[in-house]
């Protein structure tokens, strides 16, 4: 399959990072979001990240300009209809992703692969919304996308070998390392990571230690580059809560119960870095 034109639905943290790597890799990118200001913010972020790559001599200034020139921001979802590959990177809400997949299925040719960057939602469930479940797959990038090498490539129950092979090869062309994962709540990364972050939150809630102390234990004792609560703030506490709820609903084990402190903080609008306050102030 010759993929040259890529549609990306969602211009948030993950969407703009995915747009960055595709554009830098020579692909034409149709970047879609519901508001023009979201797109403007995404383009500014991409430009800033490309500037850092120029400063580190990873790319040239001409490469930066070429990459930005390959990104076409749009608010009309129908503009991705003629893309060779489409990846959804919207918020982690089943109902939002379901709406997007129904639309994509109706507007794109039946041979086009529809991928999701979801970090926890069932690829099998998303595939069942389309008339081409064999061409629905998970392509889970990691934040920050331009830096992190891993892509979890997730097979739904109906995902074909051909679809998997195309996405695996595409990941390699983007200079990423694809790792095959079968469909299950949280896949591998978040099934293991999120309970760790959640338990760190319980340690704070129960007065075992301060956020700073919890993070120091993991940085100095486990050689983690950042502590679990700093990481939770970086991911977004609302995203952490959504994923924990998916794990609890999908696996049915009370060990996945979201920490009450996490729920309270999200209710207060303390979402981490993006809101200026989480376990730390920014």
């Amino acid at each position: 399959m010759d993929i040259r034109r890529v549609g990306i639905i969602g211009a948030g943290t993950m969407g703009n990072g995915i747009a960055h790597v595709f554009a830098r890799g020579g692909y034409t990118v149709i970047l879609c979001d519901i508001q023009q200001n979201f797109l403007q913010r995404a383009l500014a972020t991409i430009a800033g990240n490309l500037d850092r790559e120029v400063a580190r001599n990873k790319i040239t200034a001409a490469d930066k300009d070429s990459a930005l020139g390959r990104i076409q921001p749009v608010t009309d979802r129908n503009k991705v209809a003629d893309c060779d590959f489409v990846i959804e990177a919207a918020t982690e809400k089943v109902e939002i992703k379901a709406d997007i997949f129904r639309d994509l299925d109706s507007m794109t040719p039946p041979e086009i692969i529809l991928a999701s960057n979801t970090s926890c939602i069932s690829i099998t469930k998303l595939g069942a919304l389309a008339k081409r479940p064999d061409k629905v797959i998970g392509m889970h990038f990691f934040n920050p996308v331009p830096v992190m090498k891993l892509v979890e490539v997730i097979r739904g129950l109906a995902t074909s070998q051909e679809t998997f092979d195309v996405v695996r090869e595409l990941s390699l062309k983007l200079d990423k390392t694809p790792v095959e994962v079968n469909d299950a709540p949280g896949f591998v990364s978040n099934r293991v990571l999120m309970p760790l972050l959640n338990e760190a939150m319980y340690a704070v809630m129960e007065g075992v230690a301060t956020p700073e102390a919890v993070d120091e234990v993991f940085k100095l004792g486990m050689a983690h580059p950042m502590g679990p609560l700093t990481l939770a703030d970086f991911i977004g506490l609302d995203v952490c809560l959504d994923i924990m709820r998916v794990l609890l609903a999908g696996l049915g084990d009370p060990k996945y119960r979201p920490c009450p402190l996490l729920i309270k903080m999200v209710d207060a609008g303390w979402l981490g870095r993006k809101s200026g306050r989480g376990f730390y102030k920014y």
Side-chain angles (χ1 to χ4, degrees):
M1 178 180 291
D2 187 20
I3 296 174
R4 298 184 181 181
R5 187 176 174 87
V6 176
I8 300 171
I9 307 295
T13 299
M14 298 306 296
N16 73 58
I18 295 167
H20 177 139
V21 297
F22 270 106
R24 188 181 60 190
Y27 297 88
T28 297
V29 174
I30 311 302
L31 180 60
C32 180
D33 213 316
I34 57 174
Q35 291 185 27
Q36 190 65 40
N37 63 309
F38 294 166
L39 293 164
Q40 291 170 346
R41 186 167 58 203
L43 291 173
T45 298
I46 294 168
N49 289 336
L50 287 168
D51 280 335
R52 277 190 280 276
E53 292 181 346
V54 172
R56 294 170 184 166
N57 295 315
K58 292 186 175 181
I59 61 172
T60 66
D63 292 333
K64 172 203 166 183
D65 292 340
S66 295
L68 286 173
R70 285 189 284 270
I71 302 173
Q72 300 175 23
V74 301
T75 54
D76 181 0
R77 200 179 290 173
N78 287 293
K79 297 290 187 180
V80 307
D82 61 349
C83 288
D84 307 312
F85 181 87
V86 182
I87 180 166
E88 166 275 317
T91 188
E92 289 292 293
K93 302 286 187 184
V94 174
E95 59 275 13
I96 292 174
K97 292 184 185 292
D99 175 68
I100 291 170
F101 265 80
R102 290 189 192 99
D103 269 4
L104 293 176
D105 189 49
S106 65
M107 71 176 62
T108 58
E111 69 273 13
I112 298 302
I113 292 172
L114 304 179
S116 176
N117 180 62
T118 181
S119 57
C120 62
I121 293 169
S122 170
I123 300 302
T124 299
K125 181 179 290 187
L126 294 176
L129 300 170
K131 296 176 182 176
R132 63 186 97 178
D134 60 313
K135 296 189 179 298
V136 174
I137 193 166
M139 193 178 189
H140 180 207
F141 290 85
F142 288 75
N143 187 31
V145 179
V147 176
M148 301 295 280
K149 287 288 189 180
L150 175 63
V151 176
E152 278 185 312
V153 182
I154 304 114
R155 294 177 183 264
L157 187 62
T159 304
S160 70
Q161 184 64 43
E162 179 185 7
T163 296
F164 175 83
D165 290 342
V166 168
V167 173
R168 180 182 182 280
E169 185 63 27
L170 183 59
S171 302
L172 293 170
K173 288 179 179 177
L174 295 173
D175 196 28
K176 300 299 183 185
T177 302
V179 175
E180 180 179 355
V181 178
N182 289 320
D183 194 18
F187 315 130
V188 171
S189 55
N190 282 319
R191 181 168 180 171
V192 176
L193 174 64
M194 284 301 160
L196 167 63
L197 305 190
N198 197 55
E199 196 62 31
M201 296 171 195
Y202 270 109
V204 172
M205 185 185 77
E206 294 170 1
V208 177
T210 64
E212 292 82 0
V214 171
D215 281 350
E216 283 295 287
V217 166
F218 278 84
K219 287 190 292 181
L220 300 180
M222 288 77 170
H224 287 202
M226 68 175 73
L229 300 172
T230 300
L231 179 56
D233 276 356
F234 182 70
I235 292 168
L237 300 186
D238 53 336
V239 176
C240 294
L241 179 57
D242 286 342
I243 294 171
M244 288 305 300
R245 284 172 168 161
V246 168
L247 291 172
L248 181 62
L251 297 169
D253 191 320
K255 73 181 180 181
Y256 298 109
R257 183 173 68 95
C259 176
L261 177 59
L262 172 61
I263 296 170
K264 186 180 295 186
M265 291 174 73
V266 171
D267 286 344
W270 297 5
L271 308 181
R273 278 185 177 271
K274 60 188 173 186
S275 70
R277 183 164 187 175
F279 284 93
Y280 299 95
K281 291 183 179 179
Y282 300 92

